[in-house]
Structures are given as structure tokens and as C-alpha cells.
Amino acid sequence: MDNVVIMGTGPAGLTAAIYAARADLRPLVVEGNAPGGQLIVSCEVENYPGFPDAVSGMELMGLFRKQAERFGARFVSGVVTSVKALAGGYVLTCGDEPIETRAIVVATGAMARRLPIASEAKYYGKGISGCATCDGAFYRNLDVIVVGGGNTAMEDAIFLTRFAKSVTIVHRRDYLRAAPVEVEKARGNPKIKWMIPRVIDEIIGEDLVTGVTLRKPDTNDTEHMDCDGIFVAIGHDPKTELFRDLIDCDSLGFVRIEPGSTRTSAAGVFACGDVADPHYKQAVIAAGTGCMAALDAQKYLEMNVK
Ligand SMILES: Cc1cc2nc3c(=O)[nH]c(=O)nc-3n(C[C@H](O)[C@H](O)[C@H](O)COP(=O)(O)OP(=O)(O)OC[C@H]3O[C@@H](n4cnc5c(N)ncnc54)[C@H](O)[C@@H]3O)c2cc1C
């Protein structure tokens, strides 16, 4: 039986792997269908400490992995498709192979929801972003759109006014889900314009985004709008489908953890990174909680394995 299986190879899973490997736990790390995690699609990471000249997401994740390998972490490609409790641990299915383990670190991330239009995939990372905190500073003196009507959309729009020349909120309904106080703040900001109710029918560009076709849902009238960037703020889907019967999750699907730890409601299962983080969703936080998960798993194994 393995000591600990780490599910995920983003900053959380790879940091857990570094710490667990260095503690001689010989962790088995399952890569999932996105080795390196979400950051892989990010051309430039400017806010990860230790890289004053920025670093590509690909390079950063390559370095994390190299460090985990140096201490003996074992990697397996594939996706975990089931997790069941058994005496003294858990059995996971990955491909045809069952994997038995005493502890699990869940670092499966949370995917930013995407716009359901073909041209969105073409321009993701080339003017379309799911993270205002990460990419806002790249849009100084440019015109950007924020898609969404919830609190995150309002917060992102207000944040982006620090850099952008203008921020237009596009939302498909004529009412907003966001708290009135957030809406008031956005409405009071002279840089923020409103296009509601509108949906984006198409994203237009060459190498980068240059504009969108907007449609009024009630009349189907369309119009063109120039813009340099689009921030999609329509929520995240935490990757917790496999665990819904095993560990407590909140109403949005994020893993509930004991405050100040990475312990979940199931003994020996620890969660770190975006999958347990409805608020911040930043690589450095994922890495920090990945460290916590490995230390929590180490402690659990010391206390529970004879
Ligand atoms: C475009 C973009 C730019 C960003 N830029 C920045 C930035 O500049 N700075 C910053 O701090 N943050 C940035 N972020 C946010 C950052 O990427 C995330 O906060 C961080 O990647 C979360 O790390 P994580 O390890 O929790 O999850 P993820 O990086 O999402 O990794 C999840 C991992 O779990 C694996 N997985 C999923 N399901 C399974 C399964 N069933 N079995 C096995 N493995 C599974 C996946 O393959 C993946 O390896 C950006 C995000 C995006 C999308």
C-alpha cells in the first residue's frame, strides 16, 4: 500500500510532492489530464515570488516538477476515476490499475468557466483571461470587457479600472446577482460602462482579440464593440465530482477543510490549492496549501500507521 497518493500536478500537487518526497514518504503523484495544471496556459507569471523578471507558467511548473523528482516523487500519467474507502486507507482507480493508499492529497484544482462559443477557445490566453488578478496589469490603457453579473465580476471590473482605459461589464440578464453594495461601487466608478442584457456571440481578432459581436437576448439585435481584452468572471467548477460521497463540499463544490489545516471530513484525505479555495485562486497560495497538505499527511501517517 502506498503512503500517500497526490492527485494533481499544478502548484498545489507538486508542492505537496516536494514536501512528501523530502519526508521520505515516496508519494505517488497522478498527473491528471492537465499535467502542470492551469498555469501551463499562462505565458507570463509576474507575481510568483522569486522570479523578478517573470517566468512562463510552463517553465515554472517544470521547475516544480524537477524539484519533486529530485527527492524521489513518483509520477504516473492518467486520471483518477474513482476513490473508495477501504480498511486502513483508500483504493483509487487510475486506468486499469487500482492504487491502494493510506492517505490522499486532493489537488485537482477548479476550472474557470468558459464562454460557450467556438472563438473563445481560439483566443483564450490571447486577450481572454479567467483571472483579473493574474492578468489585469497586462491591459494598461486598454479597453476591456468583464463578462458576468456576480460579485466576482463587479470586483474584477473595479480592480481592472486601475489599469484599463475603460471596463465594460457585459451580462446576459438585465439584473445582477452581485450584492447591492458591490453593484453600487461599480456603478459609481466613472471608468465602468454597462452592456446589459447582452451576450457575446463572437470574439473577433487577428493574433489577439480586437473586438466582440454583442447580441441583445430579447431582440436578437447585434452590434460590434472594439476591445483589447475580455475577462470571463462567470464562476469556477471545482474538480470534486469524484469525492462528493466521500468528503464534505460546499454548495459550489469546493472541498470544506478544517480552518487552519488541509484536513477534510474524511480521515487521511487532505485538500489543497484551488479545489478548496473559493476566494483567492493564486499559484502561491496553492503552493502554500500544498505544503500544508503534505505536512498534515505526514502527521496523520505518523499517528495512524503502526
Ligand atoms: C490563464 C491563467 C493565468 C493565471 N495566471 C496566474 C498568475 O499569473 N499568477 C498566479 O498566482 N495564478 C495564476 N493563475 C491561477 C493559478 O493557475 C491557479 O491558482 C493554480 O494553478 C491552482 O493550482 P492547483 O494546483 O490548485 O490546481 P491546478 O493548477 O488547476 O491543477 C490541477 C491539477 O489536477 C489534475 N487533476 C484534475 N482532476 C484530476 C483527476 N481526476 N485525477 C488526477 N489529477 C487530476 C490536473 O491534471 C492538474 O494537474 C492563472 C490561471 C489561469 C487559468
Side-chain angles (χ1 to χ4, degrees):
M1 189 181 270
D2 277 295
N3 285 315
V4 56
V5 169
I6 297 168
M7 292 175 57
T9 47
L14 289 175
T15 305
I18 292 168
Y19 276 77
R22 204 152 175 267
D24 266 351
L25 296 176
R26 299 204 69 243
L28 183 69
V29 189
V30 184
E31 289 180 345
N33 55 9
Q38 291 172 63
L39 221 46
I40 285 297
V41 296
S42 181
C43 299
E44 278 211 291
V45 181
E46 290 196 319
N47 54 12
Y48 200 85
F51 295 88
D53 299 323
V55 58
S56 76
M58 181 83 82
E59 187 185 349
L60 184 61
M61 289 300 93
L63 291 169
F64 272 52
R65 179 165 174 149
K66 198 171 163 195
Q67 198 168 349
E69 281 172 338
R70 180 178 153 217
F71 296 119
R74 297 165 298 143
F75 286 81
V76 55
S77 57
V79 171
V80 174
T81 51
S82 77
V83 183
K84 290 196 177 72
L86 86 170
Y90 297 89
V91 60
L92 285 66
T93 312
C94 180
D96 297 333
E97 288 299 311
I99 303 169
E100 292 190 3
T101 179
R102 297 181 178 95
I104 302 174
V105 171
V106 180
T108 47
M111 295 309 291
R113 287 195 194 136
R114 308 277 297 260
L115 296 175
I117 43 177
S119 43
E120 198 251 24
K122 185 171 169 194
Y123 291 108
Y124 207 83
K126 296 175 182 166
I128 304 181
S129 171
C131 180
T133 310
C134 311
D135 296 333
F138 297 126
Y139 291 84
R140 269 176 213 283
N141 299 320
L142 297 176
D143 297 306
V144 301
I145 283 175
V146 172
V147 183
N151 284 341
T152 306
M154 300 303 120
E155 286 164 13
D156 284 359
I158 293 162
F159 174 72
L160 287 165
T161 60
R162 294 171 186 224
F163 316 101
K165 187 160 61 172
S166 74
V167 179
T168 303
I169 295 176
V170 172
H171 181 50
R172 63 193 162 142
R173 302 205 172 91
D174 54 8
Y175 60 90
L176 299 158
R177 252 183 316 109
V181 58
E182 296 297 338
V183 177
E184 277 319 300
K185 275 194 235 161
R187 288 209 187 279
N189 191 312
K191 275 193 177 179
I192 295 181
K193 304 172 192 172
W194 301 81
M195 279 291 204
I196 59 174
R198 298 283 193 292
V199 291
I200 297 183
D201 253 5
E202 202 177 347
I203 294 156
I204 297 145
E206 288 168 18
D207 292 341
L208 300 171
V209 169
T210 57
V212 290
T213 305
L214 294 176
R215 177 170 54 81
K216 273 188 170 176
D218 45 350
T219 61
N220 280 334
D221 291 344
T222 59
E223 67 202 295
H224 175 84
M225 186 182 151
D226 285 335
C227 71
D228 304 292
I230 301 167
F231 287 85
V232 183
I234 55 177
H236 282 76
D237 291 315
K239 307 281 279 176
T240 47
E241 318 79 45
L242 289 179
F243 306 100
R244 297 285 165 90
D245 295 335
L246 196 68
I247 52 183
D248 283 353
C249 294
D250 70 13
S251 60
L252 299 173
F254 289 93
V255 180
R256 282 190 212 275
I257 45 175
E258 273 180 44
S261 85
T262 60
R263 285 188 295 274
T264 70
S265 59
V269 181
F270 306 90
C272 52
D274 285 9
V275 75
D277 176 6
H279 302 298
Y280 302 106
K281 301 188 197 73
Q282 289 293 290
V284 68
I285 294 172
T289 57
C291 161
M292 289 168 67
L295 297 179
D296 288 343
Q298 185 189 330
K299 190 81 168 173
Y300 171 83
L301 291 167
E302 280 164 13
M303 310 249 298
N304 291 283
V305 179
K306 306 285 170 261

